[in-house]
């Protein structure tokens, strides 16, 4: 049975700076240039990427909740998936730093959900590490 993918990374910056690096397109270009994000409820999330065989792919979603600078929740669906999953990013201040916590759930509704969850672990880990490094 698929379970939630949960990751965290510590950033040497305030939650406000970490949030800005996610929602401001100019700042996001420095660490996740191929993501389009309108961080308002109902806003569009679009990630264009290339798979291992060089084919253009897209992940689409909609922002469900935005509570700056603490929380962003959005749907997440690759084009070939029959249903969307859900990603929640939470920012928590602690001693002058910020914990970035990511929760990605809904894998059990997908065929091969366990494999997809495992495949997304490395991608999400890379995004979180680049994000934290960008704001440091």
């Amino acid at each position: 049975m698929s379970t939630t993918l949960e990751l965290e990374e510590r950033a040497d910056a305030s939650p406000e700076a970490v949030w800005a690096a996610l929602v401001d397109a100019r700042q996001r270009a420095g660490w996740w240039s191929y993501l389009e994000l309108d961080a308002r409820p109902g806003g569009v999330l679009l990630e264009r990427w290339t798979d291992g065989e060089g084919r253009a792919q897209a992940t689409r979603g909609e922002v469900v909740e935005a509570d700056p600078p603490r929380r962003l929740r959005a749907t997440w669906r690759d084009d070939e998936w029959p249903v969307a999953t859900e990603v929640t990013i939470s920012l928590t201040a602690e001693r002058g730093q910020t914990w970035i916590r990511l929760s990605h759930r809904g894998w059990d509704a997908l065929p091969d959900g366990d494999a997809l969850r495992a495949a997304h672990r490395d991608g999400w880990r890379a995004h979180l590490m680049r994000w934290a490094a960008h704001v440091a």
Side-chain angles (χ1 to χ4, degrees), residues 84-123:
T85 57
E86 186 176 272
V87 174
T88 302
I89 297 170
S90 301
L91 305 179
T92 307
E94 185 178 300
R95 297 183 206 136
Q97 298 176 318
T98 300
W99 279 102
I100 305 168
R101 291 186 173 91
L102 178 128
S103 175
H104 192 161
R105 65 185 184 88
W107 303 107
D108 52 333
L110 295 171
D112 299 324
D114 286 330
L116 288 168
R117 178 178 43 91
H120 278 74
R121 177 175 291 283
D122 289 342

Side-chain angles (χ1 to χ4, degrees), residues 4-133:
T4 301
L5 170 60
E6 294 181 326
L7 297 167
E8 63 182 15
E9 186 71 31
R10 189 172 50 206
D12 289 326
S14 69
E16 292 80 9
V18 174
W19 180 267
L22 175 64
V23 301
D24 182 299
R26 291 176 307 239
Q27 290 191 49
R28 193 174 53 250
W31 66 278
W32 197 353
S33 61
Y34 49 97
L35 175 70
E36 296 175 32
L37 175 64
D38 178 358
R40 298 176 292 177
V44 172
L45 175 150
L46 175 61
E47 181 192 40
R48 296 180 192 275
W49 50 282
T50 305
D51 69 15
E53 296 175 13
R55 294 178 299 206
Q57 302 288 330
T59 300
R60 302 172 198 280
E62 179 179 313
V63 174
V64 176
E65 176 187 358
D67 181 15
R70 290 176 286 282
R71 182 175 161 100
L72 181 78
R73 189 166 51 98
T75 60
W76 184 273
R77 182 176 177 261
D78 284 5
D79 282 343
E80 70 273 7
W81 294 359
V83 297
T85 57
E86 186 176 272
V87 174
T88 302
I89 297 170
S90 301
L91 305 179
T92 307
E94 185 178 300
R95 297 183 206 136
Q97 298 176 318
T98 300
W99 279 102
I100 305 168
R101 291 186 173 91
L102 178 128
S103 175
H104 192 161
R105 65 185 184 88
W107 303 107
D108 52 333
L110 295 171
D112 299 324
D114 286 330
L116 288 168
R117 178 178 43 91
H120 278 74
R121 177 175 291 283
D122 289 342
W124 278 124
R125 168 64 56 213
H127 287 314
L128 295 180
M129 291 173 65
R130 283 194 306 268
W131 188 5

